[in-house]
Amino acid sequence: MEPHAEIVVVGGGIVGCSLLYQLTRLGISDVVLLEKTELTAGTTWHSAGHLVVLEENPAVARINALSFGIYSRFEEETGESIGLHACGSLQIAASRSRLERLERLLPKMQALGHSCRMVGPQETAELFPLLDPGGLLGASWAPKEGYVDPSMATQAFARLARAAGARIHRQTRVTGLEREFGRWRVETTRGSITAEHVVLATGMWAPELPRKLGIALPIVPAERQYIVTEDMPEVAALGRELPILRDYDAPLYFRQERRGLIMGVHEPHTPYCFVDGIPESFGQELLTPDLDRGAACIEAGMRLVPAFARAGIKRVICGPTSRTVDFNGLMGPLWNHRNLHVLAGFSAGVGQGAGVGRLMAEWIVKGEPSLDVAPLDVARFGPYATISYMRQCLGEAHTYGSFDAGKERAAGRPARTSPLYHRHSAGGAVFVASNGWECPAWFRGAAAPTAAAAVAAEQAAALGACGIADISARTVIDVAGPGAADLLVRLVGPDLPAQAGACVERGVLLRGAEPRVPVGIRRRGPEAFAVTAGPECELRLLSCLQMLAPEGGAPAVENRTGRSGALLLVGPRSGAILETAAARGFKAEACAAEIQRDAEVGFAPARVMRRAGFAADAFEIEVPSEYLVGLDEALRRAAGGDGLSSIGMRALAALAARSETTAAVA
């Protein structure tokens, strides 16, 4: 084996081979792929290979469309066949809720340029003649969807990459990773190789190597099954290829396979496999089928496609696949480990493989992908996403297509909480989860039982006297030491806060082509800053700062998220309440906007700052986390009676919006 490569890709499934090919397209020929057994082993070779574009998340839909476009032009552009079948797909609706969900989805997809439309039961049956349309309310019809042959596509990517100079080593298992002298040393069963970048495209095996480096990737292996029928005269007589048929409420899918059908069998619970670890010898094996656990799904398929009930079973495929809690894969650089990347965990690995391979190659070579990849970003989950967390979440929504991305989930909670969590809960708080944090959205009360009424009441209470909000769920990262200011200039531009305690807020592009996010920069000293952002930004911001910092030197980048808490007082009485709770001599009127100053509030050493941007006077009080409960009590005592009302994130957002409206009118 060669001693060095610019980039090492670990994993020879369709995702790894796609990345290898895309790297060579960008001019990187000094790239090596390491595969522990044979190309397509693990999950690729037995995949159904579906290409789905329809997706409720627009960013994921764009990635799907990119992937479909690459596949659809691949043979013409390269001369390589990948077994493409652009047969279209139907997603049926047998319930009013599913029909409405599809009707909401299609205009979004059409706005992205995806050719799709709603069809009635009769046209659905014309498109899929084996279907019994009884009970159907309609369907979505996407003519630009289909499937590819996973093995053909993988081998085509590999051949083209080899022809461009990439090297592929099969039967080469990676046994360890170590960072030394600014490079990665990749230990394998055939010796070691060093590289500037390493990409783990190892599917369900992806958690193994990062675990040794202290990072737990939220991927679990699960079983998936499908039935392949014998030849069916009803299929043979059609004279054209059937589209893919999906029923996410059953859930199931049908697809033509030569003169028969494939039916995807889904169980009422997630069938985990390899719960004690994946055997070292596992490669291109299958698992033991168990159709009994999918009996309800099979019966639904027989009712939906009566000819399926008469067909003989040619074989049953049961193999492993990767699952994350939201069914999206993981991609991007890992925090705390420079130039170590992940591209794994894709439930739709074949369908998205061409697209995510291109985007990951762009990310490494050009510094950012050309599309927003935030829904797939490996940094969207933190250490709270343990095995128990994943199993709870997958127990709530275990099947691809059943997860509603816009719905607040009950599973996997609470994970991360403020010290005031139980006090908020007893006070009627309704929480939303953000990166594992429980954030009070609004407070339920007898006079305001609905969210809208509660938010209105909280705004009125704040504008009439004072509201108190727990804003502890936020990202806090310290950047300190020689060069700290220069590093932050590269992040947000030259306008850094000049004096100690001062704060500025800027919109920052953290990862790839995702939208800019608000990031606060607070100067603690000459070369010391606190960088703050919303809780969902934590690991993306940490990774971004670590990549900007020189390796092994100053300045130091330290994640302090969760170590400090903060309360926000908003309202005309906020200054008076703060003065009463603070040590003698503290004057609220002396606090300049967006300038932190040290103070003693109650028994807590605090940093106090007057906040701009709200429809009333506002003060932020930051303390070490262990002082937060005492601070809350001190402020409530100082307020006396009913002078201080708990308010949630929605009321805060509304108060900020009112301030913006007032400023615009003025």
Side-chain angles (χ1 to χ4, degrees), residues 44-406:
T44 296
W45 71 278
H46 57 76
S47 169
H50 292 173
L51 309 180
V52 179
V53 178
L54 248 64
E55 165 62 45
E56 294 191 14
N57 187 306
V60 177
R62 290 186 181 94
I63 294 169
N64 292 347
L66 170 66
S67 203
F68 185 87
I70 293 170
Y71 284 129
S72 62
R73 297 186 299 270
F74 194 80
E75 185 167 352
E76 179 182 351
E77 292 178 353
T78 68
E80 293 276 354
S81 176
I82 55 173
L84 174 66
H85 294 253
C87 56
S89 73
L90 289 160
Q91 186 181 147
I92 64 171
S95 66
R96 177 59 56 182
S97 62
R98 178 62 64 176
L99 184 68
E100 291 173 351
R101 189 167 171 176
L102 290 173
E103 288 173 340
R104 290 193 303 269
L105 170 63
L106 260 62
K108 299 176 185 177
M109 295 298 99
Q110 291 165 348
L112 296 175
H114 184 41
S115 58
C116 52
R117 60 185 175 89
M118 296 298 298
V119 295
Q122 181 177 348
E123 188 173 357
T124 303
E126 292 171 358
L127 291 165
F128 199 101
L130 305 188
L131 173 74
D132 180 355
L136 291 190
L137 299 179
S140 65
W141 166 236
K144 290 189 177 180
E145 294 189 348
Y147 64 97
V148 296
D149 183 299
S151 295
M152 290 176 68
T154 303
Q155 297 293 348
F157 287 141
R159 280 192 296 272
L160 292 171
R162 281 196 191 99
R167 287 88 70 200
I168 296 176
H169 297 285
R170 297 171 294 120
Q171 301 298 325
T172 306
R173 184 167 63 87
V174 174
T175 57
L177 286 173
E178 186 173 342
R179 187 78 174 165
E180 61 179 18
F181 308 117
R183 292 178 175 178
W184 285 101
R185 189 176 78 243
V186 185
E187 299 288 353
T188 81
T189 51
R190 297 177 58 191
S192 64
I193 179 172
T194 62
E196 276 72 34
H197 294 265
V198 173
V199 186
L200 304 178
T202 47
M204 63 182 179
W205 285 275
E208 293 183 356
L209 289 170
R211 188 180 298 121
K212 298 176 182 178
L213 299 172
I215 291 180
L217 293 181
I219 296 173
V220 293
E223 297 184 24
R224 64 175 171 205
Q225 298 188 106
Y226 58 84
I227 295 170
V228 183
T229 73
E230 295 178 343
D231 288 354
M232 299 169 57
E234 298 90 341
V235 175
L238 289 173
R240 62 176 175 85
E241 186 170 18
L242 290 167
I244 299 170
L245 180 72
R246 296 183 178 89
D247 180 354
Y248 281 143
D249 289 325
L252 56 81
Y253 69 82
F254 280 99
R255 196 200 82 196
Q256 185 170 334
E257 176 70 4
R258 300 181 186 276
R259 296 184 177 184
L261 293 175
I262 285 178
M263 182 211 166
V265 181
H266 294 282
E267 298 81 359
H269 56 84
T270 299
Y272 300 106
C273 56
F274 306 135
V275 293
D276 297 322
I278 304 171
E280 189 174 304
S281 61
F282 188 84
Q284 282 186 305
E285 297 83 8
L286 290 172
L287 305 173
T288 303
D290 183 358
L291 292 181
D292 288 342
R293 69 186 183 215
C297 177
I298 295 171
E299 291 170 3
M302 291 177 174
R303 292 191 296 271
L304 188 63
V305 180
F308 172 66
R310 302 187 294 271
I313 295 178
K314 186 176 182 179
R315 62 183 180 274
V316 178
I317 303 297
C318 181
T321 188
S322 298
R323 287 283 183 267
T324 65
V325 298
D326 58 6
F327 302 94
N328 287 330
L330 307 178
M331 68 179 296
L334 285 173
W335 54 99
N336 296 338
H337 298 284
R338 185 183 299 266
N339 294 345
L340 179 61
H341 315 265
V342 170
L343 189 65
F346 293 91
S347 298
V350 174
Q352 293 179 328
V356 298
R358 176 168 294 182
L359 294 168
M360 191 72 246
E362 293 171 347
W363 208 341
I364 294 171
V365 178
K366 299 181 179 181
E368 64 179 27
S370 56
L371 294 179
D372 176 9
V373 297
L376 309 183
D377 196 330
V378 64
R380 72 187 185 275
F381 296 111
Y384 64 89
T386 63
I387 293 291
S388 296
Y389 174 89
M390 287 186 282
R391 289 185 176 176
Q392 273 199 31
C393 291
L394 288 170
E396 179 185 65
H398 72 278
T399 303
Y400 182 77
S402 63
F403 175 60
D404 187 346

